[in-house]
Amino acid sequence: MTSAILDYVEKALLKSDPPQMRIGDTIDVHVSIIEGEKERVQIFNGVVIAMSGRGINATFTVRRIVANQGVERIFPLHSPRVIKVETRRHGKVRRAKLYYLRDRIGKARRLKERRVVSTKRSTAHGKQSDNNHKTPAASAPPESMKAVQVAGEPA
């Protein structure tokens, strides 16, 4: 009985579209900060080194370096304070927890980039473009969109 009630309450608090990220991704977390009467958005960028929990208890840990000091912050995935999560880079990793990055210094801290298959096609200049190159037959309107010719009017 209590489990059903807890599930009902938790379901209402879950985000409908949780952020999509994986371990090793470099992300920007937009967090709402309240200072006195003012509210502002602060961006915390770093590498996702751990994810744990599930449901309403899901959290992710982000690590960044500030003034040669490692700073880790644990964010609840479904928190209303976490406004947006943007993925900047996809890291190639073979571990579920990247705690070994705590001991790395300098370039050894970097992760190789994981190639992500995109629906957009890149051009020769490195820019992204949609597949907007249509053939003349493809640019013609479909049969249902063609105008109906009324009898007695010129075509």
Side-chain angles (χ1 to χ4, degrees), residues 5-18 55-57 76-82:
I5 295 171
L6 285 175
D7 290 343
Y8 178 75
V9 172
E10 285 181 2
K11 196 172 191 178
L13 297 174
L14 293 176
K15 286 186 178 179
S16 60
D17 188 25
I56 198 75
N57 298 323
L77 188 64
H78 296 283
S79 171
R81 295 269 177 238
V82 176

Side-chain angles (χ1 to χ4, degrees), residues 141-154:
E143 292 294 321
S144 61
M145 299 291 290
K146 288 185 178 177
V148 178
Q149 183 177 0
V150 179
E153 291 185 8

Side-chain angles (χ1 to χ4, degrees), residues 10 12-19 21 29-34 39 55-60 73-85:
E10 285 181 2
L13 297 174
L14 293 176
K15 286 186 178 179
S16 60
D17 188 25
M21 67 187 124
V29 183
H30 296 251
V31 185
S32 174
I33 303 287
I34 298 175
E39 185 173 345
I56 198 75
N57 298 323
T59 61
F60 60 98
R73 194 159 170 198
I74 301 172
F75 295 100
L77 188 64
H78 296 283
S79 171
R81 295 269 177 238
V82 176
I83 297 171
K84 180 171 59 169
V85 176

